[in-house]
Amino acid sequence: MSVESVWLGPMRRPMRLIMLSSTVATGLIALWLILGRLFFGTGIGLKEFLSPADTPSVLLAMIVGAIALLSASIYLSDTCGVVESKSDGFFDVVSLVCSRLAMIATVTVVLVMFYEVVSRYLFGKPTLWANELSLWIAGFVFLLAGLYAMQQRSHIRIYIIYDMMPRWLRKLSDVLSLLLIGSFAFLTVWGGFNESRDKFFRWETFGTAWDPPIPATIKPAILIIVVLVALQALSNLIADWNKEPEHHSAANDIDASEIEAIRKIVKD
Amino acid sequence: MDIGSISLILLLALFVLLAMGMPLGFASGTLACAVLAMKFGPDLLFRDFGRGPLAVVGQAVYRQMTNYVLISVPLFIFMAALLERSGIAKAMYASLNVWLSRTRGGIAIVTSIMAVIMAAMSGIIGGEVVLLGLIALPQMLRLGYNQNLAIGTICASGSLGTMIPPSIVLIFFGLITETSIKSLFTAAFLPGFMLASFFLIYIIIRTQLRPEEAPLPEPDPNDPQPLEKSILFGAFTTIMIMGATALLLLRALIFTAIGAYVVAEDTDPIALGMVAALPYLIGILVAGALLLRFVIGPDRVRLAWQMGKGLVAPIIVIGVVLGSIYGGITGITEAAAMGVVAVFVISLVRGEMTFEVLRDSLIRTMKATGTIIWVTVGAAALAAAYTLVGGPTFVANLIVGAELPTMGVILVMMLIFLVMGMFMDWVGIVLLIMPVFMPIVMALPIEELGFVGGIDPKYVAIWFGVVFTMNMQVSFLSPPFGPAAFYLKSVAPPYISLTDIFRGFMPFIGIQLLALLVLLMWPSLVSVFL
C-alpha cells in the first residue's frame, strides 16, 4: 500500500526500519528485565529507571526505548489522517511529531491504568508507580496536545464578530492575536524561568513512593512548549496569510470525511 | 490601580479579544498577565528576569498539568471517539427498535432511550447527535414522522450527555469549584432522568394527540405478537440478570480467593461480595436457568437473545464505567481508562477495530484535548491572577451590596448563563464565570434557596453544579449558535435548513426550561441519592 508521504520522502522506509527494529529491541530488553526480576532476582524494578546511570541495562533500555518512541512518532507523523487538516506551515513538522508522541503517550496512560486496576482488583496487589507514571505522562500529553491543537487551528475561538469583519480588519486581528500570544509566552517565561531552572538542576522529585521527577521535568516543559505554541501560531499566520477566508460555524468541528466513515458503519 | 477599574478593564478587554477571534485560552492567559501588570505596575514585574508576580501564571499552569482527575478528560474523549466508529450504536438501535416497533411514536421513544444509554456510556455531546442523526433521522423521515418532532427529539435527547454521568461538564465543574465529582454524578442522576422522562412524556402525549405525526410502520408478518413479545422481553431480562449475577459471583469468588473478605474494623463489608452472599447468587442463577429451560423454552430464549443482543455491549460499557466508579473499584480517571479498554475490546470482537480507526480516534482525541485543556490552562492563570488582586471578593461584595432577594440573584445568574450559552462554549463559561459566581452562591442565605423543601448547606455547591448543567442543556439547543443544530445539519438531508432545525427545538427548549424551574424551586431533588 503506497501512502503519500507528508515530509519524510525517501527517508520514509529507513525510518520505518529504525522504528520496527528499535521497538523490537525495546520489547526484548523489557522482557529480559522483567524475567530477570521475576526469576533471577536481579532486583531491577521501575525505581531504577529514575536513576538510569547506575544500572547499565536500565540505561540501555531507556536509550533504545527513546529511539523507538521518537522514530515511531516521526514515522507516524509522515501519514496524514483523513480527519487532519493538511500541513503547510514551516513549523508544522515539529507539532506533528509531537502530536504522535502525545498519541502514543495517551495509549500508554490507558495501559498503565488498566494494569493498575487489574493488579489491584484482581490480584490485590496495588502498584506503587502507576498513579504517578500516568500523572507524569499525562502532563506531557496535555502540553503537546495544545501544540497540536494550535497546528490544527482547533483552539476555541468565537467567530461571530470575526466573520463579519472586512478582510483587512481580520488580518489586523490575526496579527494582534499573534502578538498577544507571543507576549503571553514571553511573560510566562519571564515570570517562571528561575523556578523552572532551579527545579531542573536540583532534579526535584514528586515526593511520593516511586518519586518521579515530575516538577523537574514538567515545569521547564511548560515554558518550552508555551514558546513552541507561539512559534506555531506565527507559522499558522504565515501559512494562512493568502488563504481564502472561510465562514466558521460549529459544523467546522465535524469533519466531512469522519461523518463519511461513521455513515459507512451505520449503513451496513 | 484599584480593583474596580481592573475588573472593568478586564471585562472590556476580554470582549475585545474574543471579538477579534483570539483563541479563548490564550486570551485569558494574556489577560492574566495584564491583570498582574495593572496591579503591580511594570517596574515590579520586570525588575528581575525569571521571577516576580508573573510566576503565578506558570504555577497555575503547572497545577493543571499535575491534576489527576483532569486525565479523565482525554480518556473520556478517546472512548467516545472509539464508540463513534464502532457499530455498537447501530446494533443498539436495531435491538431497541424491535421491542417498540408497534408503539405509536416508537422510533422517537427509541431515540430518546438510546440517547440516555449513550449518555451513560460517554458524556461527549457532538458525536451523539451525529450518530442519532445518521441512524434515527432517516428512519423517522422515511416513515413520515413530523420533521420538527424528529429533529427536536434527536438533538434534545442527544444533549443529555451533559447531565447523565459520566459527564465531562460536571467533571470540570467539580475541578473548578473543588466539589466531589462522584457526588455531582450521583446528584445529577435524578434531574437528568427527570429531563429525559419529560422528553418521553412529551413525545408520547404529542403522538397520541396527533397520530398523523408519527405513523406506524407496516406490520411485519414475522414480527411476534404483543403478548409473545412481552414473554420474549422477560426472557431477555432474565438472561441479563443471570449475566450480572454470574459476574457478581465471579467477583465474590475472587474476593474469597485473594482474602479481601476479611472484615476489617473500620471498613464496611463489601456489598454482595461476601461469602455469605454466595448462596443467594447461586440461587438466582439456578432459578433463572430453570425459568428459561422449563417455563419459557429454549427456542424463545434463542429468539429473545437474537432480538436483544445489541443491548449487551452498551450495558457492558456502562457497567464497566459507572460500575467502576460506584462499585468502589476505581476513581473517575481509572474508570475512564477502563471504559477505553472495554470499548476497544468490544470493537475488536465485533471485527471493526483497525489501525486507521485507532489513529483517527487518537487524532480527534488530541485535537479535543488540546482545545479543552488549554482553555483550562488560560482560565486557571486568569483566575489565579484575578484572585491574587482580590477580584472575587470585590464581585461578591458588589452583588451582595445590590440587595437583591436571594432567588433574584440566582435568577440573574441563570439569565447570564443562558445568554452566555448562546454565544460561548460550556468550557469557557464554567472556567471563566464559575470562579466568580461560586463564592457568591455560597454566601447566599441557605434558607432562602428554593421554595419547596430546603437544602442541606453541604449540598449547595452540588445543587448549583446540577443547575448549571441544566442551563448548558439549553445552550446546546438555543439559537443562533446552538451546537446541536450544526451537528445535525451536517448529517441531515440538504432540504432541512438551520431555521427548520431551530424551529423543531422550540418545544424541547421549553421542556428544558421547565426542568430547570423544577430544579430551582425544589433544590433537595439533587440530594435524594446523596
Side-chain angles (χ1 to χ4, degrees):
Chain A
M1 188 175 87
S2 72
V3 186
E4 200 186 331
S5 167
V6 177
W7 61 284
L8 280 176
M11 287 303 290
R12 192 180 158 83
R13 288 184 66 86
M15 194 47 83
R16 184 184 159 87
L17 205 65
I18 297 175
M19 172 184 81
L20 290 176
S21 50
S22 57
T23 309
V24 171
T26 314
L28 288 176
I29 298 174
L31 195 68
W32 175 46
L33 287 174
I34 293 169
L35 288 178
R37 184 179 167 81
L38 285 182
F39 298 112
F40 305 109
T42 49
I44 296 174
L46 275 166
K47 189 90 191 164
E48 275 66 32
F49 275 82
L50 295 179
S51 46
D54 304 340
T55 331
S57 55
V58 169
L59 187 63
L60 183 70
M62 286 190 78
I63 292 173
V64 179
I67 294 174
L69 208 56
L70 199 63
S71 56
S73 307
I74 292 175
Y75 175 74
L76 290 175
S77 73
D78 196 40
T79 352
C80 193
V82 280
V83 293
E84 229 170 0
S85 52
K86 301 280 168 283
S87 70
D88 41 16
F90 69 87
F91 200 72
D92 287 0
V93 168
V94 180
S95 299
L96 283 176
V97 173
C98 286
S99 77
R100 297 314 192 261
L101 205 59
M103 288 174 199
I104 297 172
T106 310
V107 175
T108 317
V109 170
V110 172
L111 294 178
V112 167
M113 285 188 178
F114 183 65
Y115 180 83
E116 158 75 12
V117 171
V118 168
S119 70
R120 178 172 30 151
Y121 195 61
L122 283 187
F123 301 104
K125 285 184 200 149
T127 63
L128 284 176
W129 47 269
N131 271 4
E132 289 140 42
L133 184 60
S134 38
L135 199 61
W136 196 13
I137 299 175
F140 287 102
V141 172
F142 292 156
L143 289 171
L144 296 176
L147 181 56
Y148 180 59
M150 183 52 96
Q151 190 264 329
Q152 296 283 315
R153 287 112 173 122
S154 70
H155 276 299
I156 296 178
R157 300 166 62 179
I158 294 173
Y159 289 107
I160 305 158
I161 299 170
Y162 183 82
D163 275 352
M164 292 190 291
M165 289 178 183
R167 192 69 199 276
W168 64 269
L169 197 58
R170 284 195 197 190
K171 285 194 171 175
L172 185 69
S173 304
D174 287 343
V175 173
L176 219 58
S177 293
L178 176 69
L179 286 178
L180 288 174
I181 293 175
S183 58
F184 170 64
F186 175 76
L187 292 172
T188 312
V189 175
W190 185 283
F193 184 80
N194 285 5
E195 195 192 3
S196 299
R197 186 196 54 198
D198 296 346
K199 286 196 171 36
F200 181 73
F201 284 114
R202 253 190 280 129
W203 205 244
E204 188 172 310
T205 52
F206 207 49
T208 43
W210 184 46
D211 215 14
I214 291 180
T217 46
I218 301 269
K219 284 253 176 187
I222 291 172
L223 301 189
I224 294 170
I225 288 171
V226 165
V227 173
L228 292 186
V229 169
L231 282 175
Q232 179 66 52
L234 175 67
S235 158
N236 285 357
L237 184 68
I238 295 172
D240 293 348
W241 190 254
N242 288 319
K243 275 196 191 146
E244 280 305 300
E246 46 181 318
H247 192 78
H248 303 87
S249 74
N252 287 29
D253 301 351
I254 354 167
D255 205 278
S257 53
E258 181 74 5
I259 288 172
E260 210 40 58
I262 299 176
R263 188 167 298 200
K264 223 177 285 162
I265 293 164
V266 167
K267 273 284 134 58
D268 52 44
Chain B
M1 203 182 288
D2 73 298
I3 177 68
S5 359
I6 291 183
S7 303
L8 193 65
I9 294 176
L10 177 64
L11 200 62
L12 289 176
L14 190 63
F15 272 119
V16 172
L17 290 191
L18 291 184
M20 62 187 230
M22 188 166 172
L24 181 55
F26 296 96
S28 16
T30 313
L31 287 175
C33 301
V35 166
L36 291 172
M38 285 188 280
K39 176 75 183 175
F40 296 105
D43 51 315
L44 187 67
L45 278 193
F46 296 108
R47 199 165 50 203
D48 306 294
F49 174 74
R51 58 203 176 88
L54 279 169
V56 175
V57 177
Q59 281 155 1
V61 179
Y62 176 75
R63 267 199 300 282
Q64 300 305 317
M65 294 297 118
T66 50
N67 189 331
Y68 193 66
V69 180
L70 206 55
I71 307 178
S72 63
V73 172
L75 299 183
F76 274 126
I77 298 172
F78 188 20
M79 177 182 161
L82 285 176
L83 262 180
E84 267 173 42
R85 293 288 293 269
S86 75
I88 294 176
K90 174 74 180 171
M92 175 166 62
Y93 175 78
S95 273
L96 282 173
N97 203 23
V98 170
W99 306 111
L100 289 169
S101 59
R102 302 304 302 154
T103 313
R104 179 71 62 191
I107 302 183
I109 297 173
V110 165
T111 306
S112 280
I113 297 175
M114 194 167 142
V116 173
I117 299 176
M118 284 165 66
M121 283 199 284
S122 79
I124 313 280
I125 304 102
E128 244 171 79
V129 175
V130 168
L131 269 178
L132 290 173
L134 282 172
I135 296 172
L137 188 61
Q139 308 280 348
M140 287 199 257
L141 295 178
R142 195 169 47 81
L143 274 179
Y145 268 55
N146 177 288
Q147 186 181 305
N148 288 343
L149 176 67
I151 290 168
T153 307
I154 287 174
C155 290
S157 321
S159 309
L160 281 170
T162 30
M163 291 221 67
I164 292 169
S167 140
I168 207 161
V169 181
L170 285 174
I171 292 179
F172 268 93
F173 180 85
L175 283 175
I176 295 301
T177 60
E178 294 176 353
T179 317
S180 152
I181 294 172
K182 194 175 159 187
S183 308
L184 280 169
F185 280 5
T186 319
F189 235 94
L190 198 59
F193 278 108
M194 180 183 78
L195 184 56
S197 52
F198 281 5
F199 289 153
L200 280 176
I201 293 168
Y202 172 75
I203 293 168
I204 293 171
I205 293 178
R206 178 165 169 180
T207 51
Q208 289 297 334
L209 289 180
R210 284 187 238 153
E212 71 278 7
E213 288 197 349
L216 286 173
E218 289 297 310
D220 182 351
N222 295 327
D223 212 33
Q225 293 308 301
L227 178 67
E228 180 72 11
K229 228 180 219 182
S230 321
I231 299 175
L232 287 173
F233 189 70
F236 181 70
T237 321
T238 316
I239 297 174
M240 286 289 100
I241 293 174
M242 283 175 67
T245 317
L247 276 179
L248 283 174
L249 186 65
L250 192 68
R251 174 166 166 263
L253 287 176
I254 289 171
F255 277 143
T256 315
I258 64 171
Y261 61 89
V262 180
V263 184
E265 288 281 316
D266 50 343
T267 53
D268 295 327
I270 305 156
L272 293 176
M274 312 301 292
V275 181
L278 288 182
Y280 297 103
L281 293 175
I282 295 171
I284 294 176
L285 272 184
V286 172
L290 290 177
L291 183 72
L292 289 182
R293 179 67 186 83
F294 295 109
V295 182
I296 298 175
D299 291 338
R300 278 183 182 145
V301 172
R302 222 165 288 132
L303 186 60
W305 175 251
Q306 282 301 321
M307 287 164 76
K309 67 179 178 192
L311 289 171
V312 175
I315 291 174
I316 291 177
V317 175
I318 294 174
V320 167
V321 177
L322 292 186
S324 303
I325 298 174
Y326 287 107
I329 302 173
T330 61
I332 311 271
T333 314
E334 283 143 343
M338 298 296 284
V340 173
V341 174
V343 175
F344 183 83
V345 170
I346 290 173
S347 305
L348 208 61
V349 171
R350 294 175 56 93
E352 291 156 348
M353 186 49 64
T354 60
F355 181 72
E356 272 68 39
V357 170
L358 184 64
R359 192 190 54 198
D360 286 354
S361 305
L362 277 169
I363 287 176
R364 283 173 57 93
T365 310
M366 280 307 111
K367 273 197 213 181
T369 306
T371 317
I372 293 189
I373 299 288
W374 279 63
V375 177
T376 317
V377 164
L382 180 56
Y386 194 54
T387 311
L388 190 70
V389 302
T393 332
F394 167 74
V395 180
N397 288 340
L398 206 66
I399 303 260
V400 174
E403 297 198 355
L404 278 167
T406 305
M407 286 317 274
V409 175
I410 297 278
L411 282 180
V412 169
M413 287 178 177
M414 296 301 109
L415 208 62
I416 294 176
F417 283 146
L418 292 178
V419 173
M420 301 271 301
M422 287 177 170
F423 302 98
M424 214 168 161
D425 214 64
W426 62 268
V427 198
I429 302 179
V430 73
L431 291 169
L432 291 177
I433 311 260
M434 265 319 154
V436 178
F437 274 14
M438 209 54 214
I440 303 174
V441 174
M442 299 309 282
L444 290 173
I446 303 264
E447 59 277 7
E448 287 175 28
L449 288 176
F451 296 109
V452 190
I455 183 165
D456 198 309
K458 62 176 185 273
Y459 295 143
V460 171
I462 291 172
W463 168 72
F464 197 65
V466 179
V467 167
F468 172 71
T469 47
M470 199 65 106
N471 275 298
M472 290 303 104
Q473 292 277 317
V474 185
S475 87
F476 284 115
L477 302 191
S478 59
F481 298 103
F486 291 90
Y487 285 123
L488 189 69
K489 176 83 182 100
S490 65
V491 291
Y495 63 85
I496 298 183
S497 72
L498 264 180
T499 326
D500 293 337
I501 295 180
F502 280 120
R503 194 175 303 133
F505 286 177
M506 285 311 151
F508 288 89
I509 293 181
I511 298 173
Q512 288 173 333
L513 291 176
L514 177 71
L516 179 61
L517 201 65
V518 171
L519 200 55
L520 287 176
M521 307 260 281
W522 188 23
S524 48
L525 191 66
V526 299
S527 54
V528 172
F529 292 130
L530 283 172

